[in-house]
């Protein structure tokens, strides 16, 4: 009787997991890499870290399931896959027009690079930052890309870490939409908060959010010395 119980325990805690691990070991790890950037007119679109996502689908399998693709704040992405044909979907929720019904077919074979074109509601161009005394002067131009878009919010972000956006920052300066003339340069002076003046440097970027979007379109992060 005792011997039978020991055998049952071994089956429950030893042999079964071993058998399962052998099954898992039979699957190959994905060896292909798909990488690229979300771009508008060939330029990467800045986003919020852990914000907008893309989505991949691979057909031909009974349990077809989406593969989320996370975008870095500089607009780049990278995902490990198996070789094959995939469909890329530009999901809603980003600072761009969703493309849920447009099929982007990508053939992945080993290391594959593919830039995903998007249409942002607004872009920010020619941004520059100058430090003087205890303030930062920001120059930039906001351009409307989608004719029906309206400006909901424009912010200038200060951060002590390179990951700086709406959720991660040490200071945000809001620019009233009424002070923005689309297509023309905007100049804004922002006082540096007292607790940041001795930081030695700051990471800065500008974001604009359209009335139709949940997410900001961001400039690339710049590091400025104080």
């Amino acid at each position: 009787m005792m011997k039978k119980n020991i055998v049952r325990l071994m089956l429950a805690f030893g042999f079964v997991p071993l058998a399962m691990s052998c099954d898992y070991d039979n699957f190959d790890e994905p060896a292909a890499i798909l990488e690229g950037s979300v771009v508008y007119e060939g330029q990467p679109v800045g986003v919020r870290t852990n914000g907008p996502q893309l989505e991949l689908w691979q057909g031909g399998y009974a349990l077809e399931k989406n593969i989320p693709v996370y975008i870095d704040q500089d607009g780049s992405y990278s995902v490990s896959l198996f070789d094959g044909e995939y469909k890329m979907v530009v999901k809603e929720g980003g600072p761009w027009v969703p493309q849920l019904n447009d099929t982007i077919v990508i053939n992945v074979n080993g290391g594959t690079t593919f830039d995903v074109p998007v249409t942002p509601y607004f872009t920010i161009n020619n941004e520059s930052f100058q430090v003087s005394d205890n303030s930062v002067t920001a120059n930039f131009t906001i351009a409307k890309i989608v004719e029906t878009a309206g400006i909901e919010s424009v912010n200038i972000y200060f951060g002590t870490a390179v990951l700086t956006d709406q959720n991660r920052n040490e200071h945000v300066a809001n620019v009233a939409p009424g002070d923005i003339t689309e297509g023309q340069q905007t100049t804004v002076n922002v006082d540096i908060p007292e607790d940041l003046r001795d930081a030695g440097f700051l990471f800065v970027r500008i974001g604009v959010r359209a009335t139709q979007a949940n997410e900001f379109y961001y400039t690339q992060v710049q590091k400025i010395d104080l």
Side-chain angles (χ1 to χ4, degrees):
M1 184 66 177
M2 178 67 73
K3 188 175 181 180
K4 289 182 178 179
N5 288 338
I6 293 174
V7 171
R8 287 170 181 163
L9 288 171
M10 291 176 68
L11 288 171
F13 299 107
F15 292 152
V16 172
L18 179 60
M20 291 173 63
S21 67
C22 289
D23 288 341
Y24 287 131
D25 289 343
N26 290 332
F27 290 95
D28 294 330
E29 295 289 333
I33 298 292
L34 173 64
E35 59 186 358
S37 295
V38 177
V39 298
Y40 174 68
E41 295 188 338
Q43 298 300 312
V45 173
V47 299
R48 177 176 62 88
T49 301
N50 294 328
Q53 294 179 18
L54 303 171
E55 202 169 73
L56 281 171
W57 293 82
Q58 187 177 29
Y61 294 93
L63 298 176
E64 186 178 25
K65 191 176 186 302
N66 66 308
I67 303 169
V69 179
Y70 300 95
I71 307 171
D72 291 337
Q73 70 170 7
D74 63 356
S76 65
Y77 73 91
S78 178
V79 58
S80 297
L81 300 168
F82 296 102
D83 287 342
E85 182 181 282
Y86 294 83
K87 295 178 181 177
M88 175 80 80
V89 176
V90 178
K91 297 177 63 178
E92 58 186 356
W96 46 64
V97 179
Q99 303 170 34
L100 302 177
N101 297 321
D102 294 341
T103 301
I104 303 173
V105 178
I106 304 172
N107 288 301
V108 175
N109 185 13
T112 303
T113 300
F114 186 91
D115 289 338
V116 182
V118 295
T119 304
Y121 294 101
F122 291 95
T123 60
I124 306 173
N125 307 302
N126 304 319
E127 71 276 14
S128 64
F129 304 91
Q130 292 80 43
V131 179
S132 178
D133 296 328
N134 291 318
S135 68
V136 174
T137 300
N139 294 294
F140 57 94
T141 301
I142 291 181
K144 178 186 288 188
I145 307 303
V146 177
E147 188 60 31
T148 57
I151 296 178
E152 175 71 25
S153 184
V154 177
N155 290 333
I156 300 173
Y157 302 93
F158 293 172
T160 56
V162 68
L163 296 180
T164 296
D165 53 39
Q166 180 69 12
N167 291 356
R168 303 181 187 194
N169 64 73
E170 270 65 49
H171 182 68
V172 180
N174 180 256
V175 183
D179 294 339
I180 304 290
T181 300
E182 296 164 5
Q184 296 185 20
Q185 178 176 289
T186 298
T187 299
V188 178
N189 293 312
V190 182
D191 290 335
I192 302 172
E194 289 186 5
D195 60 339
L196 296 177
R197 292 175 184 173
D198 295 327
F201 62 85
L202 287 174
F203 294 97
V204 295
R205 69 192 312 199
I206 305 167
V208 57
R209 188 176 68 189
T211 53
Q212 296 94 331
N214 295 324
E215 290 285 341
F216 284 80
Y217 171 106
Y218 294 91
T219 60
Q220 300 297 332
V221 172
Q222 292 189 31
K223 182 180 179 182
I224 58 173
D225 294 324
L226 301 182

